[in-house]
Amino acid sequence: MKRFVAIVALIALFSTSFLVGRATTPSPTGEDSLRSVFLYTEALKKLRIHRDTAGGEKLLKELLVNDSLYAPAYYELVTNNLASSPEEAVRWAESAYRLDTTNQWYHRAWGQSLLIAERYAEALPVYRALNELEPQDLDTYRILAALYQQNKQPYSAIAVLDSAEVHTGRHPYLSRMKRQLLIETAQTDRAIEEAKALVEEIPYEANNHVVLAELYGVQGNDSLARACYDEALKIDSMNIETLASLSDYFNKRRDIRSMLWVTRRLFQSDEISLDQKIRRFEIFTSNREFYRDNYFQLNELASILAINYPTNKEVVDLYAGHLIAAGQLEEALKHYKNHLSDTPTQKDYYLTVIDIESYLERPDSVKKYIAEGHARFPDDIEFHLAEGNVRYRMGNHIGAAMSYHKALKYANNDTLRSQIWGQIGDVYHAYGESSGILIGKLYQRDCYRAYKKALKYNPDNVLVLNNWAYFLSVEGKQLERALQMAERVTELTERNPTYMDTHAWILFRMGRLEEARQLMRQAVALDGQKSPELLLHYGDILHALGEQFMAENYWKKALDKGYDKAKIEERLALPPVEKPAPKSDSEPQKD
């Protein structure tokens, strides 16, 4: 339905120009005829010269009150309301036509208004009549065939298009429409004959050979299809329509090597936009197995983009991502460094270089590029945050805290301030854990102070609420407060295994074992049993519930996923716990 409406709307807009400025001048009759002519003339002035639609329509309606048989006034109302008020346009168009059935402009206006109002069943007889009156008009054939198709009468539509060829000759659009209808009605052989005739008439047009190739492909005659594609490529080896069709042909037959060969040609063409090329490359590389199996050809595509669009940021990132996916991290780093001098300077390139150098544990290089980033972007918060993240990752907790405090000066909204205070809290907690007991307690206190400031700026900072709740549960302190925070996190997030783990662990620490088990079971399932911490916690909860066999099973799974062996062995050495007796209905429930 939508496709048909779009086609018809386009045709109607194309033909609207014929509606304007051509109407039968009425023969004045009666003593009010001069008044009608005057109002009509004044209305046309307002509509055509002054572009005053409202004023012009007001005069036309006044005219019709004065003389309801004045057909041109109805016609003008149609042309000005065809898009905005299609139902009213239908009423006015029919009135104009009924008053003068010999006027083809009125007749066509009625048909077009019915199309715009989507009254296709009523439009069909109108266009049949127009077709008889104007057997040379291509638009009428086109619309009439579309109406038959809409009415699920494809054979009638084909008959209309056959008639068009008899009266007006062969036309590309109508021929294409006819071939599609022939395919839909399983008349592939006839569609092929039509395409052959088109090739014979215009053999030097590559697209005609492509049409025939596609039809042979539908028929399953691959040898003839390939021969037609070869003819099209001989005419124009870089024709976009030919290459796109050939690519689709190979793709349908799972001939990936040939499809990528054609795509290489498409990537070399300037007629295809860069956005289309990038989108196609991303589709190819979204499947890891496809990426691995066709790496060398995909590498050619990425290289073509890098050569032809050397400073385009999307292409720079695409090529770097391609190198990283292939495990060539050093090459990706070199690639980004080569673009640090691009104009305009790209901040993202510096941040990515810093991240890769940090990952490769090269502190001197990290320090160098952070300094360069600060010099080029002196007021940019991201380099202070990057510096803090790198220092945190390298265990320099005090230095990280200093960088984050500097970043606060450049934070321009509460959400960002909350995020930074949360990072400061994380740093203090990590430093406290790595220090002695006394210093650890001091920094634990500073951690919670930072979290409090973070929540002042954003009470729903999920990461802060989760971390604070978890740290309290580990300490075994303020468990009710920790539970409130964890519950808020699970309200704000949608089935996040990490946050569900925190919530379950707090319930476990509060002795609410069955609730903890249910929530942790969901967390482990959602996580796909990937996280060793979640598996360990689930094992601990099962152990407390007296389910020793299952507890040991999950502890061993945590060990397989990389959890500390000594801690797992400690748990495996624990004696079984007697299963808690089920609570009676009369026993009061604990909070």
Side-chain angles (χ1 to χ4, degrees), residues 422-551:
Q423 290 174 298
I424 291 171
D426 292 344
V427 168
Y428 284 153
H429 184 271
Y431 186 64
E433 282 197 325
S434 64
S435 306
I437 295 175
L438 181 60
I439 294 177
K441 287 183 177 180
L442 290 173
Y443 275 94
Q444 188 72 290
R445 183 185 62 192
D446 289 340
C447 165
Y448 294 159
R449 284 176 178 169
Y451 284 163
K452 189 174 182 180
K453 288 182 179 179
L455 295 179
K456 177 183 175 183
Y457 288 112
N458 178 13
D460 288 334
N461 186 321
V462 168
L463 196 58
V464 169
L465 288 169
N466 179 75
N467 290 354
W468 196 349
Y470 183 72
F471 295 152
L472 288 173
S473 73
V474 171
E475 293 177 24
K477 296 178 180 179
Q478 303 182 55
L479 293 178
E480 288 292 346
R481 183 181 184 186
L483 182 61
Q484 289 176 2
M485 289 191 283
E487 287 174 340
R488 182 59 180 156
V489 169
T490 51
E491 285 176 15
L492 293 168
T493 57
E494 188 175 348
R495 298 168 68 80
N496 182 297
T498 300
Y499 299 150
M500 292 169 72
D501 169 53
T502 298
H503 191 172
W505 191 247
I506 294 167
L507 291 169
F508 168 69
R509 296 286 283 172
M510 296 176 77
R512 293 162 63 170
L513 301 181
E514 191 55 46
E515 293 175 71
R517 185 235 293 267
Q518 291 177 12
L519 193 56
M520 187 60 79
R521 182 193 295 139
Q522 293 178 45
V524 169
L526 287 169
D527 180 63
Q529 299 193 13
K530 296 175 185 175
S531 166
E533 287 78 12
L534 268 64
L535 295 168
L536 180 87
H537 287 169
Y538 194 29
D540 290 350
I541 292 168
L542 292 170
H543 172 73
L545 284 163
E547 299 184 14
Q548 188 66 16
F549 174 77
M550 291 304 298

Side-chain angles (χ1 to χ4, degrees), residues 155-227:
Y155 292 99
S156 296
I158 292 169
V160 167
L161 297 172
D162 284 339
S163 177
E165 286 185 14
V166 171
H167 287 92
T168 66
R170 196 184 302 276
H171 295 273
Y173 179 86
L174 297 183
S175 294
R176 188 159 58 248
M177 193 175 182
K178 184 178 174 183
R179 285 194 302 274
Q180 185 60 42
L181 285 165
L182 289 170
I183 292 170
E184 289 176 10
T185 54
Q187 300 183 68
T188 309
D189 289 341
R190 187 178 166 194
I192 288 173
E193 292 304 316
E194 293 279 337
K196 282 181 179 178
L198 193 63
V199 168
E200 289 172 5
E201 285 181 20
I202 316 175
Y204 47 81
E205 179 62 55
N207 287 345
N208 293 343
H209 293 276
V210 171
V211 166
L212 187 54
E214 289 174 345
L215 288 169
Y216 279 131
V218 170
Q219 194 182 52
N221 197 330
D222 287 342
S223 59
L224 289 177
R226 289 297 302 274

Side-chain angles (χ1 to χ4, degrees), residues 13-248:
L13 288 174
F14 175 77
S15 304
T16 299
S17 59
F18 294 103
L19 294 177
V20 179
R22 173 76 181 267
T24 302
T25 303
S27 300
T29 58
E31 56 187 28
D32 291 331
S33 61
L34 290 177
R35 174 67 177 165
S36 296
V37 171
F38 170 77
L39 289 172
Y40 182 70
T41 305
E42 290 300 309
L44 290 182
K45 286 181 184 177
K46 286 184 178 293
L47 293 170
R48 303 285 188 272
I49 299 172
H50 304 297
R51 305 296 180 187
D52 181 3
T53 304
E57 287 195 7
K58 183 179 178 182
L59 290 176
L60 289 171
K61 290 175 182 177
E62 183 183 338
L63 187 163
L64 290 172
V65 171
N66 182 64
D67 182 0
S68 62
L69 302 179
Y70 202 93
Y74 289 111
Y75 179 83
E76 291 299 332
L77 286 170
V78 173
T79 62
N80 285 288
N81 290 274
L82 199 57
S84 59
S85 304
E87 289 297 336
E88 285 192 324
V90 169
R91 181 165 52 83
W92 288 321
E94 185 175 4
S95 296
Y97 173 72
R98 297 300 180 196
L99 289 168
D100 186 356
T101 57
T102 64
N103 189 306
Q104 290 187 24
W105 300 96
Y106 297 168
H107 200 167
R108 187 169 293 282
W110 186 23
Q112 289 180 3
S113 63
L114 287 168
L115 293 180
I116 298 299
E118 299 182 21
R119 292 162 64 169
Y120 305 127
E122 297 170 68
L124 188 56
V126 174
Y127 275 95
R128 272 202 299 257
L130 278 170
N131 187 233
E132 292 176 7
L133 292 169
E134 303 172 330
Q136 298 298 318
D137 188 85
L138 287 175
D139 278 339
T140 305
Y141 285 110
R142 190 181 315 184
I143 296 170
L144 186 56
L147 285 168
Y148 276 123
Q149 189 176 12
Q150 170 69 17
N151 203 39
K152 295 183 170 48
Q153 295 178 263
Y155 292 99
S156 296
I158 292 169
V160 167
L161 297 172
D162 284 339
S163 177
E165 286 185 14
V166 171
H167 287 92
T168 66
R170 196 184 302 276
H171 295 273
Y173 179 86
L174 297 183
S175 294
R176 188 159 58 248
M177 193 175 182
K178 184 178 174 183
R179 285 194 302 274
Q180 185 60 42
L181 285 165
L182 289 170
I183 292 170
E184 289 176 10
T185 54
Q187 300 183 68
T188 309
D189 289 341
R190 187 178 166 194
I192 288 173
E193 292 304 316
E194 293 279 337
K196 282 181 179 178
L198 193 63
V199 168
E200 289 172 5
E201 285 181 20
I202 316 175
Y204 47 81
E205 179 62 55
N207 287 345
N208 293 343
H209 293 276
V210 171
V211 166
L212 187 54
E214 289 174 345
L215 288 169
Y216 279 131
V218 170
Q219 194 182 52
N221 197 330
D222 287 342
S223 59
L224 289 177
R226 289 297 302 274
C228 289
Y229 278 123
D230 288 343
E231 286 298 320
L233 290 172
K234 285 179 184 177
I235 295 168
D236 184 354
S237 63
M238 294 301 291
N239 180 278
I240 297 304
E241 288 78 8
T242 302
L243 293 173
S245 176
L246 187 56
S247 174
D248 185 56

Side-chain angles (χ1 to χ4, degrees), residues 308-322:
N308 293 341
Y309 308 93
T311 60
N312 181 280
K313 187 177 184 306
E314 284 188 278
V315 173
V316 172
D317 289 335
L318 179 148
Y319 191 68
H322 168 67

Side-chain angles (χ1 to χ4, degrees), residues 162-454:
D162 284 339
S163 177
E165 286 185 14
V166 171
H167 287 92
T168 66
R170 196 184 302 276
H171 295 273
Y173 179 86
L174 297 183
S175 294
R176 188 159 58 248
M177 193 175 182
K178 184 178 174 183
R179 285 194 302 274
Q180 185 60 42
L181 285 165
L182 289 170
I183 292 170
E184 289 176 10
T185 54
Q187 300 183 68
T188 309
D189 289 341
R190 187 178 166 194
I192 288 173
E193 292 304 316
E194 293 279 337
K196 282 181 179 178
L198 193 63
V199 168
E200 289 172 5
E201 285 181 20
I202 316 175
Y204 47 81
E205 179 62 55
N207 287 345
N208 293 343
H209 293 276
V210 171
V211 166
L212 187 54
E214 289 174 345
L215 288 169
Y216 279 131
V218 170
Q219 194 182 52
N221 197 330
D222 287 342
S223 59
L224 289 177
R226 289 297 302 274
C228 289
Y229 278 123
D230 288 343
E231 286 298 320
L233 290 172
K234 285 179 184 177
I235 295 168
D236 184 354
S237 63
M238 294 301 291
N239 180 278
I240 297 304
E241 288 78 8
T242 302
L243 293 173
S245 176
L246 187 56
S247 174
D248 185 56
Y249 170 86
F250 284 130
N251 189 40
K252 286 178 180 176
R253 283 150 183 77
R254 305 305 300 159
D255 185 350
I256 303 303
R257 186 171 296 279
S258 297
M259 184 267 290
L260 290 174
W261 170 80
V262 175
T263 304
R264 186 176 186 278
R265 287 195 177 190
L266 287 169
F267 272 42
Q268 291 171 330
S269 172
D270 293 332
E271 292 184 47
I272 293 184
S273 71
L274 176 59
D275 285 344
Q276 289 176 296
K277 294 173 184 176
I278 290 174
R279 197 157 54 244
R280 181 167 289 207
F281 187 83
E282 288 173 346
I283 291 170
F284 290 153
T285 56
S286 62
N287 184 301
R288 287 182 176 275
E289 186 177 346
F290 184 92
Y291 202 166
R292 183 189 65 240
D293 293 345
N294 301 281
Y295 171 77
F296 292 106
Q297 284 179 288
L298 291 172
N299 183 59
E300 279 191 68
L301 299 181
S303 299
I304 289 170
L305 294 179
I307 292 167
N308 293 341
Y309 308 93
T311 60
N312 181 280
K313 187 177 184 306
E314 284 188 278
V315 173
V316 172
D317 289 335
L318 179 148
Y319 191 68
H322 168 67
L323 292 171
I324 292 169
Q328 300 181 54
L329 193 57
E330 290 285 1
E331 288 300 314
L333 179 61
K334 181 180 177 181
H335 173 69
Y336 272 121
K337 287 181 178 179
N338 288 338
H339 287 279
L340 291 178
S341 59
D342 285 359
T343 303
T345 305
Q346 297 292 340
K347 176 179 66 177
D348 290 354
Y349 298 167
Y350 273 96
L351 292 171
T352 305
V353 167
I354 291 166
D355 282 343
I356 296 175
E357 292 285 26
S358 173
Y359 175 80
L360 295 173
E361 297 184 356
R362 297 171 180 168
D364 291 340
S365 186
V366 170
K367 186 176 179 181
K368 171 189 172 184
Y369 287 105
I370 286 176
E372 284 189 20
H374 279 311
R376 286 182 176 266
F377 306 93
D379 297 326
D380 197 294
I381 190 173
E382 290 197 56
F383 287 95
H384 293 289
L385 292 174
E387 184 178 51
N389 295 340
V390 169
R391 287 175 168 177
Y392 187 10
R393 196 180 301 146
M394 292 182 173
N396 181 2
H397 299 117
I398 300 301
M402 290 172 62
S403 297
Y404 290 142
H405 276 289
K406 286 179 184 177
L408 281 170
K409 298 176 184 178
Y410 300 96
N412 57 8
N413 61 72
D414 286 350
T415 301
L416 193 52
R417 293 184 188 98
S418 177
Q419 176 191 333
I420 295 169
W421 274 113
Q423 290 174 298
I424 291 171
D426 292 344
V427 168
Y428 284 153
H429 184 271
Y431 186 64
E433 282 197 325
S434 64
S435 306
I437 295 175
L438 181 60
I439 294 177
K441 287 183 177 180
L442 290 173
Y443 275 94
Q444 188 72 290
R445 183 185 62 192
D446 289 340
C447 165
Y448 294 159
R449 284 176 178 169
Y451 284 163
K452 189 174 182 180
K453 288 182 179 179

